[in-house]
Amino acid sequence: MQYFCVPALDEIDHLLLGLVQVDAARPLHELGDAVGLSPSAVQRRLLRLRTAGVIRAQVALVDPAAVGAALTAVALVALVDDDADHHAAFRDTMLAEPEVQQCFSIVGQWDYVVVLVTADLAANRALSRRLFADAPAVRRYETLPAYEAVKSGLTVPLPAAERR
Amino acid sequence: MQYFCVPALDEIDHLLLGLVQVDAARPLHELGDAVGLSPSAVQRRLLRLRTAGVIRAQVALVDPAAVGAALTAVALVALVDDDADHHAAFRDTMLAEPEVQQCFSIVGQWDYVVVLVTADLAANRALSRRLFADAPAVRRYETLPAYEAVKSGLTVPLPAAERR
DNA sequence: GCGGGCACGCAAAAATATTGCACGGCGGCC
DNA sequence: GGCCGCCGTGCAATATTTTTGCGTGCCCGC
């Protein structure tokens, strides 16, 4: 958003990102050994990456099933028209709902793809109804419940890190 | 998968999960203050949650745009039939590709929803071709490039945490 | 060839995480 | 009803990790 100046990530930065993206709890000296740098150098790089917005957050990944969120579903949504207010309102709703895990505005006959995480089909139905069926801005929607999450990885592919 | 015994998460556990899900770098005494527990009690609870598999990992969230992964796309994929081998092979491919951020097997006319993150449309095209067009198991696929990631939140909604 | 800025390593200091231990509540069992 | 063992807690000591200050070397521009 407002990081103008991503100051030329070098190869070591990419390596570090690849590492912390998998496990952010490792001590600095381990990361340092892995990339051939001292702990303090690693620390300063990570700080720079954080303040530059390259590292946006450091979070714990919780197993949805363990907290009673067993059902993932993908919803395709089309709004009634391309009115900017409608879109803004829809986005605000998506951002405000904790069950909405992801939301993309997309090209094509649908306007949005939304990933919903709920306890079960009943909860999903109630949520879909509330978010989509009852929303005047929504023209049409389709819910695709997931049998299974083959991959819910959250890591971003790092072109430079792969190369070597 | 193999945590049989998620040993009855109580309300404090839910609060902790809600906190570390947003920011896993906070010191224990802060978490302790937030939930009304001593740092060591918090530490032991988090350890228990980690070993029980409730907390699966602790990762850094990297801004895709900052590492040259500017394009997110959603692909809908249908396989040629419900042969188990085909499905297994497809899943293995999805798991192995770093550009595949998420993959769900879903109900309905499509078999899978796949979230792809690539540098640009050209890269996406090349990847789609390699993963889907050239795969004999894939009958049909459709790519929906994203204009924008409205929400790429990665947190799981916690029923108990919301209640209060 | 000569500064100036930048990133580094090292070491001291501060903060944080971990572990041992004793206490108190709770449930099962005489 | 009372007793015993278990579990989770807080506190304090210890170990580890992070942060910071400082001096050095390198590279770029002048």
Side-chain angles (χ1 to χ4, degrees), chain A residues 87-111:
Chain A
H87 278 273
F90 183 79
R91 280 157 198 243
D92 288 346
T93 308
M94 295 302 105
L95 288 174
E97 292 293 331
E99 285 91 355
V100 174
Q101 240 197 328
Q102 301 190 303
C103 176
F104 303 102
S105 73
I106 53 167
V107 173
Q109 61 175 325
W110 298 102
D111 290 320

mmCIF file with all atom_site columns, all heavy atoms in Angstrom, chain A residues 87-111:
data_model
loop_
_atom_site.group_PDB
_atom_site.id
_atom_site.type_symbol
_atom_site.label_atom_id
_atom_site.label_alt_id
_atom_site.label_comp_id
_atom_site.label_asym_id
_atom_site.label_entity_id
_atom_site.label_seq_id
_atom_site.pdbx_PDB_ins_code
_atom_site.Cartn_x
_atom_site.Cartn_y
_atom_site.Cartn_z
_atom_site.occupancy
_atom_site.B_iso_or_equiv
_atom_site.pdbx_formal_charge
_atom_site.auth_seq_id
_atom_site.auth_comp_id
_atom_site.auth_asym_id
_atom_site.auth_atom_id
_atom_site.pdbx_PDB_model_num
ATOM 1   N N   . HIS A 1 87  ? -19.844 -1.893  -4.509  1.00 0.00 ? 87  HIS A N   1
ATOM 2   C CA  . HIS A 1 87  ? -18.593 -2.619  -4.321  1.00 0.00 ? 87  HIS A CA  1
ATOM 3   C C   . HIS A 1 87  ? -17.959 -2.271  -2.980  1.00 0.00 ? 87  HIS A C   1
ATOM 4   O O   . HIS A 1 87  ? -17.501 -3.143  -2.246  1.00 0.00 ? 87  HIS A O   1
ATOM 5   C CB  . HIS A 1 87  ? -17.633 -2.298  -5.475  1.00 0.00 ? 87  HIS A CB  1
ATOM 6   C CG  . HIS A 1 87  ? -17.893 -3.099  -6.699  1.00 0.00 ? 87  HIS A CG  1
ATOM 7   N ND1 . HIS A 1 87  ? -17.353 -4.338  -6.900  1.00 0.00 ? 87  HIS A ND1 1
ATOM 8   C CD2 . HIS A 1 87  ? -18.672 -2.848  -7.780  1.00 0.00 ? 87  HIS A CD2 1
ATOM 9   C CE1 . HIS A 1 87  ? -17.764 -4.814  -8.070  1.00 0.00 ? 87  HIS A CE1 1
ATOM 10  N NE2 . HIS A 1 87  ? -18.577 -3.923  -8.628  1.00 0.00 ? 87  HIS A NE2 1
ATOM 11  N N   . ALA A 1 88  ? -17.941 -1.009  -2.675  1.00 0.00 ? 88  ALA A N   1
ATOM 12  C CA  . ALA A 1 88  ? -17.322 -0.581  -1.418  1.00 0.00 ? 88  ALA A CA  1
ATOM 13  C C   . ALA A 1 88  ? -18.030 -1.215  -0.231  1.00 0.00 ? 88  ALA A C   1
ATOM 14  O O   . ALA A 1 88  ? -17.391 -1.726  0.696   1.00 0.00 ? 88  ALA A O   1
ATOM 15  C CB  . ALA A 1 88  ? -17.350 0.937   -1.308  1.00 0.00 ? 88  ALA A CB  1
ATOM 16  N N   . ALA A 1 89  ? -19.349 -1.216  -0.281  1.00 0.00 ? 89  ALA A N   1
ATOM 17  C CA  . ALA A 1 89  ? -20.118 -1.783  0.827   1.00 0.00 ? 89  ALA A CA  1
ATOM 18  C C   . ALA A 1 89  ? -19.832 -3.274  0.955   1.00 0.00 ? 89  ALA A C   1
ATOM 19  O O   . ALA A 1 89  ? -19.624 -3.793  2.056   1.00 0.00 ? 89  ALA A O   1
ATOM 20  C CB  . ALA A 1 89  ? -21.609 -1.538  0.602   1.00 0.00 ? 89  ALA A CB  1
ATOM 21  N N   . PHE A 1 90  ? -19.807 -3.936  -0.180  1.00 0.00 ? 90  PHE A N   1
ATOM 22  C CA  . PHE A 1 90  ? -19.550 -5.374  -0.149  1.00 0.00 ? 90  PHE A CA  1
ATOM 23  C C   . PHE A 1 90  ? -18.180 -5.668  0.447   1.00 0.00 ? 90  PHE A C   1
ATOM 24  O O   . PHE A 1 90  ? -18.025 -6.521  1.323   1.00 0.00 ? 90  PHE A O   1
ATOM 25  C CB  . PHE A 1 90  ? -19.656 -5.933  -1.569  1.00 0.00 ? 90  PHE A CB  1
ATOM 26  C CG  . PHE A 1 90  ? -19.478 -7.410  -1.638  1.00 0.00 ? 90  PHE A CG  1
ATOM 27  C CD1 . PHE A 1 90  ? -20.515 -8.268  -1.307  1.00 0.00 ? 90  PHE A CD1 1
ATOM 28  C CD2 . PHE A 1 90  ? -18.270 -7.950  -2.037  1.00 0.00 ? 90  PHE A CD2 1
ATOM 29  C CE1 . PHE A 1 90  ? -20.348 -9.636  -1.365  1.00 0.00 ? 90  PHE A CE1 1
ATOM 30  C CE2 . PHE A 1 90  ? -18.090 -9.319  -2.095  1.00 0.00 ? 90  PHE A CE2 1
ATOM 31  C CZ  . PHE A 1 90  ? -19.134 -10.162 -1.754  1.00 0.00 ? 90  PHE A CZ  1
ATOM 32  N N   . ARG A 1 91  ? -17.200 -4.913  0.006   1.00 0.00 ? 91  ARG A N   1
ATOM 33  C CA  . ARG A 1 91  ? -15.855 -5.126  0.537   1.00 0.00 ? 91  ARG A CA  1
ATOM 34  C C   . ARG A 1 91  ? -15.787 -4.890  2.030   1.00 0.00 ? 91  ARG A C   1
ATOM 35  O O   . ARG A 1 91  ? -15.148 -5.635  2.767   1.00 0.00 ? 91  ARG A O   1
ATOM 36  C CB  . ARG A 1 91  ? -14.877 -4.151  -0.123  1.00 0.00 ? 91  ARG A CB  1
ATOM 37  C CG  . ARG A 1 91  ? -14.448 -4.608  -1.471  1.00 0.00 ? 91  ARG A CG  1
ATOM 38  C CD  . ARG A 1 91  ? -13.994 -3.439  -2.279  1.00 0.00 ? 91  ARG A CD  1
ATOM 39  N NE  . ARG A 1 91  ? -13.991 -3.811  -3.673  1.00 0.00 ? 91  ARG A NE  1
ATOM 40  C CZ  . ARG A 1 91  ? -12.885 -3.848  -4.412  1.00 0.00 ? 91  ARG A CZ  1
ATOM 41  N NH1 . ARG A 1 91  ? -11.740 -3.484  -3.893  1.00 0.00 ? 91  ARG A NH1 1
ATOM 42  N NH2 . ARG A 1 91  ? -12.957 -4.231  -5.650  1.00 0.00 ? 91  ARG A NH2 1
ATOM 43  N N   . ASP A 1 92  ? -16.436 -3.836  2.479   1.00 0.00 ? 92  ASP A N   1
ATOM 44  C CA  . ASP A 1 92  ? -16.422 -3.560  3.912   1.00 0.00 ? 92  ASP A CA  1
ATOM 45  C C   . ASP A 1 92  ? -17.014 -4.722  4.685   1.00 0.00 ? 92  ASP A C   1
ATOM 46  O O   . ASP A 1 92  ? -16.499 -5.119  5.735   1.00 0.00 ? 92  ASP A O   1
ATOM 47  C CB  . ASP A 1 92  ? -17.209 -2.281  4.200   1.00 0.00 ? 92  ASP A CB  1
ATOM 48  C CG  . ASP A 1 92  ? -16.450 -1.046  3.721   1.00 0.00 ? 92  ASP A CG  1
ATOM 49  O OD1 . ASP A 1 92  ? -15.243 -1.185  3.423   1.00 0.00 ? 92  ASP A OD1 1
ATOM 50  O OD2 . ASP A 1 92  ? -17.053 0.031   3.643   1.00 0.00 ? 92  ASP A OD2 1
ATOM 51  N N   . THR A 1 93  ? -18.098 -5.264  4.156   1.00 0.00 ? 93  THR A N   1
ATOM 52  C CA  . THR A 1 93  ? -18.702 -6.413  4.824   1.00 0.00 ? 93  THR A CA  1
ATOM 53  C C   . THR A 1 93  ? -17.720 -7.573  4.895   1.00 0.00 ? 93  THR A C   1
ATOM 54  O O   . THR A 1 93  ? -17.532 -8.191  5.941   1.00 0.00 ? 93  THR A O   1
ATOM 55  C CB  . THR A 1 93  ? -19.963 -6.872  4.069   1.00 0.00 ? 93  THR A CB  1
ATOM 56  O OG1 . THR A 1 93  ? -20.817 -5.746  3.870   1.00 0.00 ? 93  THR A OG1 1
ATOM 57  C CG2 . THR A 1 93  ? -20.692 -7.950  4.839   1.00 0.00 ? 93  THR A CG2 1
ATOM 58  N N   . MET A 1 94  ? -17.080 -7.841  3.779   1.00 0.00 ? 94  MET A N   1
ATOM 59  C CA  . MET A 1 94  ? -16.122 -8.957  3.741   1.00 0.00 ? 94  MET A CA  1
ATOM 60  C C   . MET A 1 94  ? -15.004 -8.738  4.758   1.00 0.00 ? 94  MET A C   1
ATOM 61  O O   . MET A 1 94  ? -14.592 -9.651  5.464   1.00 0.00 ? 94  MET A O   1
ATOM 62  C CB  . MET A 1 94  ? -15.520 -9.084  2.341   1.00 0.00 ? 94  MET A CB  1
ATOM 63  C CG  . MET A 1 94  ? -16.503 -9.463  1.263   1.00 0.00 ? 94  MET A CG  1
ATOM 64  S SD  . MET A 1 94  ? -17.352 -11.024 1.562   1.00 0.00 ? 94  MET A SD  1
ATOM 65  C CE  . MET A 1 94  ? -18.962 -10.451 2.066   1.00 0.00 ? 94  MET A CE  1
ATOM 66  N N   . LEU A 1 95  ? -14.519 -7.502  4.810   1.00 0.00 ? 95  LEU A N   1
ATOM 67  C CA  . LEU A 1 95  ? -13.420 -7.221  5.729   1.00 0.00 ? 95  LEU A CA  1
ATOM 68  C C   . LEU A 1 95  ? -13.854 -7.366  7.178   1.00 0.00 ? 95  LEU A C   1
ATOM 69  O O   . LEU A 1 95  ? -13.067 -7.750  8.039   1.00 0.00 ? 95  LEU A O   1
ATOM 70  C CB  . LEU A 1 95  ? -12.889 -5.799  5.488   1.00 0.00 ? 95  LEU A CB  1
ATOM 71  C CG  . LEU A 1 95  ? -12.096 -5.630  4.197   1.00 0.00 ? 95  LEU A CG  1
ATOM 72  C CD1 . LEU A 1 95  ? -11.741 -4.164  3.964   1.00 0.00 ? 95  LEU A CD1 1
ATOM 73  C CD2 . LEU A 1 95  ? -10.829 -6.467  4.252   1.00 0.00 ? 95  LEU A CD2 1
ATOM 74  N N   . ALA A 1 96  ? -15.118 -7.081  7.430   1.00 0.00 ? 96  ALA A N   1
ATOM 75  C CA  . ALA A 1 96  ? -15.578 -7.085  8.819   1.00 0.00 ? 96  ALA A CA  1
ATOM 76  C C   . ALA A 1 96  ? -15.904 -8.478  9.333   1.00 0.00 ? 96  ALA A C   1
ATOM 77  O O   . ALA A 1 96  ? -15.896 -8.707  10.539  1.00 0.00 ? 96  ALA A O   1
ATOM 78  C CB  . ALA A 1 96  ? -16.809 -6.179  8.951   1.00 0.00 ? 96  ALA A CB  1
ATOM 79  N N   . GLU A 1 97  ? -16.174 -9.410  8.446   1.00 0.00 ? 97  GLU A N   1
ATOM 80  C CA  . GLU A 1 97  ? -16.611 -10.733 8.889   1.00 0.00 ? 97  GLU A CA  1
ATOM 81  C C   . GLU A 1 97  ? -15.423 -11.647 9.150   1.00 0.00 ? 97  GLU A C   1
ATOM 82  O O   . GLU A 1 97  ? -14.631 -11.891 8.238   1.00 0.00 ? 97  GLU A O   1
ATOM 83  C CB  . GLU A 1 97  ? -17.494 -11.367 7.808   1.00 0.00 ? 97  GLU A CB  1
ATOM 84  C CG  . GLU A 1 97  ? -18.823 -10.676 7.615   1.00 0.00 ? 97  GLU A CG  1
ATOM 85  C CD  . GLU A 1 97  ? -19.724 -10.830 8.825   1.00 0.00 ? 97  GLU A CD  1
ATOM 86  O OE1 . GLU A 1 97  ? -19.603 -11.855 9.528   1.00 0.00 ? 97  GLU A OE1 1
ATOM 87  O OE2 . GLU A 1 97  ? -20.537 -9.930  9.064   1.00 0.00 ? 97  GLU A OE2 1
ATOM 88  N N   . PRO A 1 98  ? -15.306 -12.166 10.343  1.00 0.00 ? 98  PRO A N   1
ATOM 89  C CA  . PRO A 1 98  ? -14.163 -13.043 10.628  1.00 0.00 ? 98  PRO A CA  1
ATOM 90  C C   . PRO A 1 98  ? -14.232 -14.362 9.878   1.00 0.00 ? 98  PRO A C   1
ATOM 91  O O   . PRO A 1 98  ? -13.201 -14.979 9.618   1.00 0.00 ? 98  PRO A O   1
ATOM 92  C CB  . PRO A 1 98  ? -14.238 -13.263 12.136  1.00 0.00 ? 98  PRO A CB  1
ATOM 93  C CG  . PRO A 1 98  ? -15.642 -12.962 12.513  1.00 0.00 ? 98  PRO A CG  1
ATOM 94  C CD  . PRO A 1 98  ? -16.139 -11.948 11.522  1.00 0.00 ? 98  PRO A CD  1
ATOM 95  N N   . GLU A 1 99  ? -15.416 -14.811 9.522   1.00 0.00 ? 99  GLU A N   1
ATOM 96  C CA  . GLU A 1 99  ? -15.524 -16.073 8.788   1.00 0.00 ? 99  GLU A CA  1
ATOM 97  C C   . GLU A 1 99  ? -15.034 -15.939 7.353   1.00 0.00 ? 99  GLU A C   1
ATOM 98  O O   . GLU A 1 99  ? -14.794 -16.933 6.691   1.00 0.00 ? 99  GLU A O   1
ATOM 99  C CB  . GLU A 1 99  ? -16.977 -16.580 8.783   1.00 0.00 ? 99  GLU A CB  1
ATOM 100 C CG  . GLU A 1 99  ? -17.413 -17.181 10.100  1.00 0.00 ? 99  GLU A CG  1
ATOM 101 C CD  . GLU A 1 99  ? -18.021 -16.131 10.982  1.00 0.00 ? 99  GLU A CD  1
ATOM 102 O OE1 . GLU A 1 99  ? -18.000 -14.945 10.594  1.00 0.00 ? 99  GLU A OE1 1
ATOM 103 O OE2 . GLU A 1 99  ? -18.528 -16.487 12.062  1.00 0.00 ? 99  GLU A OE2 1
ATOM 104 N N   . VAL A 1 100 ? -14.958 -14.732 6.877   1.00 0.00 ? 100 VAL A N   1
ATOM 105 C CA  . VAL A 1 100 ? -14.432 -14.508 5.532   1.00 0.00 ? 100 VAL A CA  1
ATOM 106 C C   . VAL A 1 100 ? -12.914 -14.546 5.614   1.00 0.00 ? 100 VAL A C   1
ATOM 107 O O   . VAL A 1 100 ? -12.289 -13.652 6.168   1.00 0.00 ? 100 VAL A O   1
ATOM 108 C CB  . VAL A 1 100 ? -14.892 -13.160 4.953   1.00 0.00 ? 100 VAL A CB  1
ATOM 109 C CG1 . VAL A 1 100 ? -14.208 -12.904 3.622   1.00 0.00 ? 100 VAL A CG1 1
ATOM 110 C CG2 . VAL A 1 100 ? -16.393 -13.137 4.796   1.00 0.00 ? 100 VAL A CG2 1
ATOM 111 N N   . GLN A 1 101 ? -12.371 -15.620 5.079   1.00 0.00 ? 101 GLN A N   1
ATOM 112 C CA  . GLN A 1 101 ? -10.938 -15.766 5.192   1.00 0.00 ? 101 GLN A CA  1
ATOM 113 C C   . GLN A 1 101 ? -10.224 -15.032 4.088   1.00 0.00 ? 101 GLN A C   1
ATOM 114 O O   . GLN A 1 101 ? -9.169  -14.452 4.285   1.00 0.00 ? 101 GLN A O   1
ATOM 115 C CB  . GLN A 1 101 ? -10.578 -17.249 5.142   1.00 0.00 ? 101 GLN A CB  1
ATOM 116 C CG  . GLN A 1 101 ? -9.878  -17.687 6.396   1.00 0.00 ? 101 GLN A CG  1
ATOM 117 C CD  . GLN A 1 101 ? -9.169  -18.996 6.177   1.00 0.00 ? 101 GLN A CD  1
ATOM 118 O OE1 . GLN A 1 101 ? -9.607  -19.832 5.408   1.00 0.00 ? 101 GLN A OE1 1
ATOM 119 N NE2 . GLN A 1 101 ? -8.061  -19.166 6.861   1.00 0.00 ? 101 GLN A NE2 1
ATOM 120 N N   . GLN A 1 102 ? -10.774 -15.087 2.922   1.00 0.00 ? 102 GLN A N   1
ATOM 121 C CA  . GLN A 1 102 ? -10.155 -14.419 1.809   1.00 0.00 ? 102 GLN A CA  1
ATOM 122 C C   . GLN A 1 102 ? -11.220 -13.893 0.885   1.00 0.00 ? 102 GLN A C   1
ATOM 123 O O   . GLN A 1 102 ? -12.333 -14.415 0.839   1.00 0.00 ? 102 GLN A O   1
ATOM 124 C CB  . GLN A 1 102 ? -9.277  -15.391 1.025   1.00 0.00 ? 102 GLN A CB  1
ATOM 125 C CG  . GLN A 1 102 ? -8.209  -15.983 1.874   1.00 0.00 ? 102 GLN A CG  1
ATOM 126 C CD  . GLN A 1 102 ? -7.213  -16.740 1.031   1.00 0.00 ? 102 GLN A CD  1
ATOM 127 O OE1 . GLN A 1 102 ? -7.576  -17.656 0.311   1.00 0.00 ? 102 GLN A OE1 1
ATOM 128 N NE2 . GLN A 1 102 ? -5.970  -16.338 1.108   1.00 0.00 ? 102 GLN A NE2 1
ATOM 129 N N   . CYS A 1 103 ? -10.871 -12.868 0.155   1.00 0.00 ? 103 CYS A N   1
ATOM 130 C CA  . CYS A 1 103 ? -11.812 -12.289 -0.787  1.00 0.00 ? 103 CYS A CA  1
ATOM 131 C C   . CYS A 1 103 ? -11.034 -11.619 -1.902  1.00 0.00 ? 103 CYS A C   1
ATOM 132 O O   . CYS A 1 103 ? -10.181 -10.778 -1.642  1.00 0.00 ? 103 CYS A O   1
ATOM 133 C CB  . CYS A 1 103 ? -12.713 -11.281 -0.074  1.00 0.00 ? 103 CYS A CB  1
ATOM 134 S SG  . CYS A 1 103 ? -13.847 -10.432 -1.190  1.00 0.00 ? 103 CYS A SG  1
ATOM 135 N N   . PHE A 1 104 ? -11.329 -12.015 -3.135  1.00 0.00 ? 104 PHE A N   1
ATOM 136 C CA  . PHE A 1 104 ? -10.675 -11.414 -4.287  1.00 0.00 ? 104 PHE A CA  1
ATOM 137 C C   . PHE A 1 104 ? -11.731 -10.888 -5.240  1.00 0.00 ? 104 PHE A C   1
ATOM 138 O O   . PHE A 1 104 ? -12.769 -11.525 -5.432  1.00 0.00 ? 104 PHE A O   1
ATOM 139 C CB  . PHE A 1 104 ? -9.827  -12.455 -5.037  1.00 0.00 ? 104 PHE A CB  1
ATOM 140 C CG  . PHE A 1 104 ? -8.791  -13.105 -4.187  1.00 0.00 ? 104 PHE A CG  1
ATOM 141 C CD1 . PHE A 1 104 ? -8.985  -14.385 -3.692  1.00 0.00 ? 104 PHE A CD1 1
ATOM 142 C CD2 . PHE A 1 104 ? -7.619  -12.439 -3.869  1.00 0.00 ? 104 PHE A CD2 1
ATOM 143 C CE1 . PHE A 1 104 ? -8.032  -14.990 -2.905  1.00 0.00 ? 104 PHE A CE1 1
ATOM 144 C CE2 . PHE A 1 104 ? -6.653  -13.048 -3.085  1.00 0.00 ? 104 PHE A CE2 1
ATOM 145 C CZ  . PHE A 1 104 ? -6.862  -14.319 -2.598  1.00 0.00 ? 104 PHE A CZ  1
ATOM 146 N N   . SER A 1 105 ? -11.452 -9.754  -5.817  1.00 0.00 ? 105 SER A N   1
ATOM 147 C CA  . SER A 1 105 ? -12.308 -9.299  -6.913  1.00 0.00 ? 105 SER A CA  1
ATOM 148 C C   . SER A 1 105 ? -11.684 -9.805  -8.200  1.00 0.00 ? 105 SER A C   1
ATOM 149 O O   . SER A 1 105 ? -10.475 -9.680  -8.405  1.00 0.00 ? 105 SER A O   1
ATOM 150 C CB  . SER A 1 105 ? -12.408 -7.781  -6.921  1.00 0.00 ? 105 SER A CB  1
ATOM 151 O OG  . SER A 1 105 ? -11.212 -7.206  -7.365  1.00 0.00 ? 105 SER A OG  1
ATOM 152 N N   . ILE A 1 106 ? -12.494 -10.381 -9.035  1.00 0.00 ? 106 ILE A N   1
ATOM 153 C CA  . ILE A 1 106 ? -11.932 -11.118 -10.163 1.00 0.00 ? 106 ILE A CA  1
ATOM 154 C C   . ILE A 1 106 ? -12.521 -10.700 -11.502 1.00 0.00 ? 106 ILE A C   1
ATOM 155 O O   . ILE A 1 106 ? -13.575 -10.081 -11.583 1.00 0.00 ? 106 ILE A O   1
ATOM 156 C CB  . ILE A 1 106 ? -12.153 -12.632 -9.994  1.00 0.00 ? 106 ILE A CB  1
ATOM 157 C CG1 . ILE A 1 106 ? -13.617 -12.910 -9.744  1.00 0.00 ? 106 ILE A CG1 1
ATOM 158 C CG2 . ILE A 1 106 ? -11.297 -13.178 -8.886  1.00 0.00 ? 106 ILE A CG2 1
ATOM 159 C CD1 . ILE A 1 106 ? -13.973 -14.364 -9.888  1.00 0.00 ? 106 ILE A CD1 1
ATOM 160 N N   . VAL A 1 107 ? -11.801 -11.108 -12.513 1.00 0.00 ? 107 VAL A N   1
ATOM 161 C CA  . VAL A 1 107 ? -12.183 -10.907 -13.891 1.00 0.00 ? 107 VAL A CA  1
ATOM 162 C C   . VAL A 1 107 ? -13.223 -11.953 -14.289 1.00 0.00 ? 107 VAL A C   1
ATOM 163 O O   . VAL A 1 107 ? -13.140 -13.085 -13.818 1.00 0.00 ? 107 VAL A O   1
ATOM 164 C CB  . VAL A 1 107 ? -10.935 -11.087 -14.781 1.00 0.00 ? 107 VAL A CB  1
ATOM 165 C CG1 . VAL A 1 107 ? -11.298 -11.059 -16.245 1.00 0.00 ? 107 VAL A CG1 1
ATOM 166 C CG2 . VAL A 1 107 ? -9.892  -10.024 -14.453 1.00 0.00 ? 107 VAL A CG2 1
ATOM 167 N N   . GLY A 1 108 ? -14.175 -11.559 -15.125 1.00 0.00 ? 108 GLY A N   1
ATOM 168 C CA  . GLY A 1 108 ? -15.078 -12.571 -15.663 1.00 0.00 ? 108 GLY A CA  1
ATOM 169 C C   . GLY A 1 108 ? -16.520 -12.345 -15.264 1.00 0.00 ? 108 GLY A C   1
ATOM 170 O O   . GLY A 1 108 ? -16.901 -11.252 -14.844 1.00 0.00 ? 108 GLY A O   1
ATOM 171 N N   . GLN A 1 109 ? -17.293 -13.391 -15.367 1.00 0.00 ? 109 GLN A N   1
ATOM 172 C CA  . GLN A 1 109 ? -18.725 -13.240 -15.131 1.00 0.00 ? 109 GLN A CA  1
ATOM 173 C C   . GLN A 1 109 ? -19.058 -13.049 -13.653 1.00 0.00 ? 109 GLN A C   1
ATOM 174 O O   . GLN A 1 109 ? -20.109 -12.532 -13.308 1.00 0.00 ? 109 GLN A O   1
ATOM 175 C CB  . GLN A 1 109 ? -19.484 -14.441 -15.682 1.00 0.00 ? 109 GLN A CB  1
ATOM 176 C CG  . GLN A 1 109 ? -19.080 -15.744 -15.033 1.00 0.00 ? 109 GLN A CG  1
ATOM 177 C CD  . GLN A 1 109 ? -19.950 -16.902 -15.513 1.00 0.00 ? 109 GLN A CD  1
ATOM 178 O OE1 . GLN A 1 109 ? -21.135 -16.727 -15.757 1.00 0.00 ? 109 GLN A OE1 1
ATOM 179 N NE2 . GLN A 1 109 ? -19.350 -18.069 -15.658 1.00 0.00 ? 109 GLN A NE2 1
ATOM 180 N N   . TRP A 1 110 ? -18.166 -13.492 -12.797 1.00 0.00 ? 110 TRP A N   1
ATOM 181 C CA  . TRP A 1 110 ? -18.353 -13.253 -11.369 1.00 0.00 ? 110 TRP A CA  1
ATOM 182 C C   . TRP A 1 110 ? -17.533 -12.035 -10.953 1.00 0.00 ? 110 TRP A C   1
ATOM 183 O O   . TRP A 1 110 ? -16.522 -11.725 -11.590 1.00 0.00 ? 110 TRP A O   1
ATOM 184 C CB  . TRP A 1 110 ? -17.886 -14.462 -10.554 1.00 0.00 ? 110 TRP A CB  1
ATOM 185 C CG  . TRP A 1 110 ? -18.659 -15.703 -10.841 1.00 0.00 ? 110 TRP A CG  1
ATOM 186 C CD1 . TRP A 1 110 ? -18.266 -16.749 -11.622 1.00 0.00 ? 110 TRP A CD1 1
ATOM 187 C CD2 . TRP A 1 110 ? -19.952 -16.036 -10.354 1.00 0.00 ? 110 TRP A CD2 1
ATOM 188 N NE1 . TRP A 1 110 ? -19.225 -17.714 -11.655 1.00 0.00 ? 110 TRP A NE1 1
ATOM 189 C CE2 . TRP A 1 110 ? -20.285 -17.307 -10.888 1.00 0.00 ? 110 TRP A CE2 1
ATOM 190 C CE3 . TRP A 1 110 ? -20.873 -15.405 -9.525  1.00 0.00 ? 110 TRP A CE3 1
ATOM 191 C CZ2 . TRP A 1 110 ? -21.485 -17.935 -10.612 1.00 0.00 ? 110 TRP A CZ2 1
ATOM 192 C CZ3 . TRP A 1 110 ? -22.060 -16.032 -9.256  1.00 0.00 ? 110 TRP A CZ3 1
ATOM 193 C CH2 . TRP A 1 110 ? -22.369 -17.284 -9.781  1.00 0.00 ? 110 TRP A CH2 1
ATOM 194 N N   . ASP A 1 111 ? -17.956 -11.408 -9.863  1.00 0.00 ? 111 ASP A N   1
ATOM 195 C CA  . ASP A 1 111 ? -17.204 -10.243 -9.388  1.00 0.00 ? 111 ASP A CA  1
ATOM 196 C C   . ASP A 1 111 ? -16.234 -10.579 -8.271  1.00 0.00 ? 111 ASP A C   1
ATOM 197 O O   . ASP A 1 111 ? -15.172 -9.981  -8.157  1.00 0.00 ? 111 ASP A O   1
ATOM 198 C CB  . ASP A 1 111 ? -18.186 -9.161  -8.898  1.00 0.00 ? 111 ASP A CB  1
ATOM 199 C CG  . ASP A 1 111 ? -18.953 -8.546  -10.055 1.00 0.00 ? 111 ASP A CG  1
ATOM 200 O OD1 . ASP A 1 111 ? -18.337 -8.316  -11.101 1.00 0.00 ? 111 ASP A OD1 1
ATOM 201 O OD2 . ASP A 1 111 ? -20.170 -8.323  -9.902  1.00 0.00 ? 111 ASP A OD2 1
#
